[in-house]
Amino acid sequence: MKTFSKPPLTIDFTNAINPGPAGAGAIAAPILNEAIVKELKLALADNYRMRETGEIAWAELPHEAQAIADQSVVFAKTIRNDFENFVQMGIGGSALGAQAVLEAVGHPYANLTNQRPRMFVADNIDPDQLNGLFDVADPKKTCYHIVTKSGSTPETMAQLFIVLDRIKAAVGDNWRKHLYITTDPKVGALKKWAVEENLPTLHIPPKVGGRFSVLTSVGLLPAAVAGMDVYAMLEGAKWMQIRCWHENPEQNPAAWLAALLVRADRELGIKMFVMMPYSSRLYRMGDWFRQLWAESIGKRYDRDGKEIFVGTTPIKALGATDQHSQVQLYVEGPKDKLTIFVEAPFDGEVKIPIGLPGDKALAYLEGHGMGELLLTELRATERAIAKAGRPSITIKLSGHNPEAVGAFLYLWEVTTALAGSMYNINAFDQPGVEAGKITTAALLGKPGMEAEADAINKELAAFKKIVV
Amino acid sequence: MKTFSKPPLTIDFTNAINPGPAGAGAIAAPILNEAIVKELKLALADNYRMRETGEIAWAELPHEAQAIADQSVVFAKTIRNDFENFVQMGIGGSALGAQAVLEAVGHPYANLTNQRPRMFVADNIDPDQLNGLFDVADPKKTCYHIVTKSGSTPETMAQLFIVLDRIKAAVGDNWRKHLYITTDPKVGALKKWAVEENLPTLHIPPKVGGRFSVLTSVGLLPAAVAGMDVYAMLEGAKWMQIRCWHENPEQNPAAWLAALLVRADRELGIKMFVMMPYSSRLYRMGDWFRQLWAESIGKRYDRDGKEIFVGTTPIKALGATDQHSQVQLYVEGPKDKLTIFVEAPFDGEVKIPIGLPGDKALAYLEGHGMGELLLTELRATERAIAKAGRPSITIKLSGHNPEAVGAFLYLWEVTTALAGSMYNINAFDQPGVEAGKITTAALLGKPGMEAEADAINKELAAFKKIVV
């Protein structure tokens, strides 16, 4: 295992217990008090058990995904040789992690540079967006990575059907080399078809849920295609894996985080967690975190079947941009938020030169770096939020590098699992989205659902419409 | 004034009062009950007064910005002729509206098409992002629109200083034609310098605050440069202006919206408003709305100086993407959200062809359009959220066109102003962001602030650091 001269990630909890005059709005110190340590040990035991039974196979990915990484690198080599464009088609967990990783480590305007292939993640079924994509990425020169764990996600499968048509129209019998598949190793229509057609296929291990799948080919293949060191990403995750399963909560950063987030909800009534990186390239990490936390922790029933309607809301923000948009509310509004700042040294710096002649008010900027200004604003915002009596923490990455990204992703996965145990919920299902899927299928005329469709249409017609 | 064959915008409130079994979680009908109508009339009167005194000059922009539109169109013609790239540099209200408008009406991958100039909005001071921008947009071929109402926003001014250096290095004495300025007509170092250097300059009227400035050159110049019909945008705003100042709340869509949002907060304890367009191109409207609402309504004190810590939190989401990320929480989590769906007919459609051979489960998709699938999913999500006893509304735009965008923007400005009056707050200031600005300047060594810097550093050093 790799050793790091500098830790890929540290978390500064200082402002979680120290905000405000006389600590108003703070978590009562220490964060790991006796009661929560007891609870954390139970949560860890619960998750050790799930690791034993293989229920949370994502926990093993830092090591287990080595083979997937190898395969991804091999596929990536061909793709980089043969194609001008790489399009990942997937939604939710099949897209968000890939986007986050590509942006965190890539060039901020990668698709406008000479870098090939250009990278796209098509995560919606917006027809104008898809038509637009065909405008700029000729199917002849494009490879599509179709990602759906179940092999039956309607949005992604609809994208596949359309793309398949376009590729066949463009290249005829050569269509197969334009498709790469990531799905379950056994289940689903997509897997069956991929075998029949002998398509290059990568697998999401059966007990790895979509939102915990970023360290499979869902994230590793696009990362490899973009030229990123995917092994370094796994090394960062391994480094974090050792820490996050440490049986002593004091030495376990995921335990610290879970303790803070659960206590903030219970003790301070804090219902919103704002993830606010001070780095444009880390902004999309917030999208990945939003899914992980919201789908895992937002639950109607606990594991004993009791109705609890639990779930804090993850929000993404961006520093310094949102200082000019959200910070007014964060500082002066209700004390219902905890802010999770994220920072990382930048790859480069830009010196601020001398300003406008005669403008003394901003002369102090001269000679400072723009990144220095940004991170000074972070310090200032941490302080402003603390002074207003609201808790925050700051996650510090070692850089915009794959090690730090791997560590960050793995940290939040374990944190979420531990919080799930503390809330006594199943953090790995999403029963609340079924109703919408059924309604959609019924309204689109799925055979056998005529009765449902009838009932839905009647129900909708019965409402008195109020339109202004 | 233009008449529209189809209204640019309607709002469907049906699901605000009808959700759930037995109406659980709904707003008690009617939305405009006697008490709220009384309050709305006072709020309207309060805003009529502010229109009279000119305090809310943004309210007049649909008409008053005609001259700015004319100037923008003239400037845009030159810019389109002379430059390959257009970069708007600004932060908060100087960026968010422009981005929202460009995305809502433009090509979804505009910068990868042959369309020139390519459009950028540089809204952060991330050095890697700025270096990346210089990689892809050669200053020689780039025009910069510098936007800061005060003419002293440190982030934007730092960007200007850097860009000025680069342009001068690239084109020497010809640097002036690369710069366009939008700022206050009188105040500020930027205005003074622009006059001295005879730079093309556009003005934000003095009583138009940053977050209410999208219908000035902040939004109109980039829109015109991108080839959009800015007059149509103003026509949409005019159409909405008549409605939103209607003295009868029943006929006033802004009054309806303000009533709903304020009542949801007060009566149902709903603290989060999720703006969720079912259109990728409308996603950034949520960013603009986030600033407008958060900075205007998030306030510590009311207008009588009473401490109230008021403010609901605006959140952005995207359909169908966030069905696979946030909807689980929205349906099963706490009943603390109201969802604002937004939809618009798409410019085109993509038919879903026949699927995989032998896959009966998804055969029902065949022959439907992808946009049809997306909007059916919207219907399904509206229903799922209603059945779970949570209120929602749906804003329907006539299309991805400038009229609808203008109407949408103006609607929310008046809604926000009315809500501000109902909360008895000043919706037009942002006192909570001053502390951070002062800390930043002190820490960067602004002359005269040595004592503050000293105090801050001592204070920070006094905290016991907790790092994990």
Side-chain angles (χ1 to χ4, degrees), chain B residues 207-343:
Chain B
K207 291 290 182 187
V208 174
R211 59 186 176 273
F212 290 84
S213 71
V214 59
L215 295 178
T216 71
S217 55
V218 172
L220 297 182
L221 179 60
V225 172
M228 193 194 298
D229 181 351
V230 293
Y231 299 106
M233 197 156 103
L234 293 180
E235 286 301 327
K238 280 182 210 164
W239 181 89
M240 190 52 92
Q241 190 186 36
I242 292 172
R243 281 152 188 81
C244 287
W245 294 108
H246 200 294
E247 60 182 9
N248 180 356
E250 286 283 352
Q251 292 180 50
N252 181 329
W256 274 82
L257 267 184
L260 178 68
L261 298 187
V262 172
R263 287 190 59 197
D265 174 11
R266 284 187 197 152
E267 296 169 28
L268 299 177
I270 282 177
K271 298 302 175 192
M272 296 175 237
F273 301 146
V274 178
M275 182 171 282
M276 188 168 183
Y278 269 66
S279 156
S280 294
R281 289 191 290 161
L282 297 176
Y283 186 38
R284 283 226 173 241
M285 286 289 175
D287 285 313
W288 175 83
F289 167 68
R290 276 172 82 232
Q291 183 198 12
L292 182 74
W293 189 265
E295 281 200 331
S296 301
I297 304 299
K299 293 288 150 75
R300 178 170 177 177
Y301 298 103
D302 70 10
R303 289 193 286 194
D304 304 320
K306 202 178 131 201
E307 194 170 63
I308 52 168
F309 293 118
V310 78
T312 39
T313 297
I315 294 176
K316 64 171 188 161
L318 175 65
T321 306
D322 277 318
Q323 288 175 203
H324 297 258
S325 166
Q326 300 303 292
V327 167
Q328 166 67 31
L329 174 66
Y330 298 171
V331 166
E332 290 212 333
K335 297 184 177 186
D336 52 11
K337 295 177 188 71
L338 179 144
T339 306
I340 301 163
F341 294 109
V342 184
E343 67 173 291

Side-chain angles (χ1 to χ4, degrees), chain A residues 465, chain B residues 7-12 343-344 379 382 394-398:
Chain A
K465 279 273 176 194
Chain B
L9 186 154
T10 59
I11 314 169
D12 189 333
E343 67 173 291
R379 297 287 90 78
E382 286 172 347
T394 303
I395 299 180
K396 302 186 185 200
L397 308 183
S398 62

Side-chain angles (χ1 to χ4, degrees), chain A residues 59 70 94 128 151 158 160 201 255 272 298 330 347 378 392 397 408 436 448 465:
Chain A
D70 292 342
S94 300
D128 292 343
L160 167 62
T201 303
M272 297 175 236
Y330 298 171
D347 293 349
L378 167 53
S392 75
L397 308 183
F408 182 91
K465 279 273 176 194

Side-chain angles (χ1 to χ4, degrees), chain A residues 52-183:
Chain A
E52 286 284 328
T53 59
E55 281 169 78
I56 54 171
W58 55 264
E60 321 310 333
L61 286 174
H63 290 274
E64 292 298 320
Q66 294 294 324
I68 298 175
D70 292 342
Q71 263 192 298
S72 295
V73 167
V74 170
F75 286 166
K77 206 177 158 193
T78 308
I79 294 168
R80 288 169 65 88
N81 262 328
D82 294 354
F83 294 102
E84 280 197 17
N85 310 295
F86 175 92
V87 177
Q88 180 143 326
M89 294 190 140
I91 195 163
S94 300
L96 298 168
Q99 281 170 317
V101 167
L102 290 174
E103 294 216 357
V105 186
H107 188 286
Y109 300 92
N111 282 356
L112 294 175
T113 68
N114 294 325
Q115 192 181 303
R116 292 293 176 274
R118 297 183 302 179
M119 307 293 296
F120 300 89
V121 179
D123 67 339
N124 205 357
I125 46 169
D126 178 318
D128 292 343
Q129 196 180 35
L130 188 62
N131 281 327
L133 183 59
F134 287 128
D135 289 344
V136 300
D138 181 353
K140 245 183 227 170
K141 302 173 182 171
T142 304
C143 142
Y144 300 88
H145 182 208
I146 309 297
V147 183
T148 153
K149 159 93 163 131
S150 66
S152 63
T153 311
E155 292 91 345
T156 308
M157 294 302 279
Q159 287 178 314
L160 167 62
F161 302 162
I162 291 166
V163 154
L164 192 55
D165 239 31
R166 300 288 175 118
I167 310 173
K168 284 181 178 173
V171 302
D173 281 351
N174 284 325
W175 64 269
R176 285 175 191 80
K177 62 180 283 230
H178 290 254
L179 283 179
Y180 287 76
I181 309 292
T182 286
T183 189

Side-chain angles (χ1 to χ4, degrees), chain A residues 25-44:
Chain A
I27 295 284
I31 291 172
L32 298 191
N33 62 27
E34 213 174 305
I36 207 83
V37 165
K38 218 163 143 184
E39 210 178 331
L40 285 166
K41 285 185 174 167
L42 290 173
L44 280 163

Side-chain angles (χ1 to χ4, degrees), chain A residues 432-459:
Chain A
V433 302
E434 282 311 310
K437 288 183 189 173
I438 292 167
T439 303
T440 300
L443 290 178
L444 287 180
K446 185 170 178 176
M449 299 187 75
E450 293 79 5
E452 280 96 334
D454 230 45
I456 293 165
N457 283 322
K458 263 189 202 133
E459 182 194 300

Side-chain angles (χ1 to χ4, degrees), chain A residues 10-14 17-18 91-92 107-109 111-112 118 120 123-133 135 155 157 159 161-162 165 189 193 256 272 279-281 290-291 294-295 298-300 309-311 313 316 319-322 324-326 328-329 332-334 337 346-351 353 355-356 359 361-362 364 368 370-371 373-374 376-377 380 383 387 390 430-432 436 439-440 443-444 446 456 459 463-468, chain B residues 10-14 17-18 91-92 107-109 111-112 118 120 123-133 135 155 157 159 161-162 165 189 193 256 272 279-281 290-291 294-295 298-300 309-311 313 316 319-322 324-326 328-329 332-334 337 346-351 353 355-356 359 361-362 364 368 370-371 373-374 376-377 380 383 387 390 430-432 436 439-440 443-444 446 456 459 463-468:
Chain A
T10 59
I11 313 170
D12 189 334
F13 287 90
T14 308
I17 64 162
N18 280 323
I91 195 163
H107 188 286
Y109 300 92
N111 282 356
L112 294 175
R118 297 183 302 179
F120 300 89
D123 67 339
N124 205 357
I125 46 169
D126 178 318
D128 292 343
Q129 196 180 35
L130 188 62
N131 281 327
L133 183 59
D135 289 344
E155 292 91 345
M157 294 302 279
Q159 287 178 314
F161 302 162
I162 291 166
D165 239 31
W193 177 72
W256 274 82
M272 297 175 236
S279 157
S280 295
R281 289 190 290 160
R290 276 172 83 232
Q291 183 197 13
E295 281 199 331
K299 294 288 150 76
R300 178 171 178 177
F309 293 117
V310 79
T313 298
K316 64 171 188 163
T321 306
D322 277 318
H324 297 259
S325 166
Q326 300 303 293
Q328 165 66 31
L329 173 67
E332 291 211 334
K337 295 177 188 70
F346 298 102
D347 293 349
E349 182 55 292
V350 191
K351 239 342 165 232
L356 304 185
D359 176 21
L362 291 174
Y364 72 92
H368 291 292
M370 183 169 260
L373 172 60
L374 183 55
T376 304
E377 293 197 6
R383 182 167 180 263
K387 290 233 156 224
R390 292 123 208 267
Q430 52 281 334
T439 303
T440 300
L443 290 178
L444 287 180
K446 185 170 178 176
I456 293 165
E459 182 194 300
F463 284 139
K464 190 181 154 263
K465 279 273 176 194
I466 310 164
V467 178
V468 178
Chain B
T10 59
I11 314 169
D12 189 333
F13 287 89
T14 308
I17 64 162
N18 280 322
I91 195 163
H107 187 285
Y109 300 94
N111 282 355
L112 295 175
R118 297 183 302 180
F120 299 89
D123 66 340
N124 204 357
I125 46 169
D126 179 318
D128 293 343
Q129 195 181 35
L130 188 62
N131 280 327
L133 183 59
D135 289 344
E155 293 91 346
M157 294 302 278
Q159 287 178 313
F161 302 162
I162 291 166
D165 240 29
W193 176 72
W256 274 82
M272 296 175 237
S279 156
S280 294
R281 289 191 290 161
R290 276 172 82 232
Q291 183 198 12
E295 281 200 331
K299 293 288 150 75
R300 178 170 177 177
F309 293 118
V310 78
T313 297
K316 64 171 188 161
T321 306
D322 277 318
H324 297 258
S325 166
Q326 300 303 292
Q328 166 67 31
L329 174 66
E332 290 212 333
K337 295 177 188 71
F346 298 102
D347 292 351
E349 181 56 291
V350 191
K351 244 329 170 238
L356 303 184
D359 176 22
L362 291 173
Y364 71 92
H368 291 292
M370 183 170 260
L373 172 60
L374 183 56
T376 304
E377 294 197 6
R383 183 168 179 262
K387 290 233 156 223
R390 291 122 208 268
Q430 52 282 334
T439 303
T440 300
L443 290 178
L444 287 179
K446 184 169 178 175
I456 294 165
E459 183 195 299
F463 284 139
K464 191 181 153 261
K465 278 273 177 195
I466 309 164
V467 178
V468 178

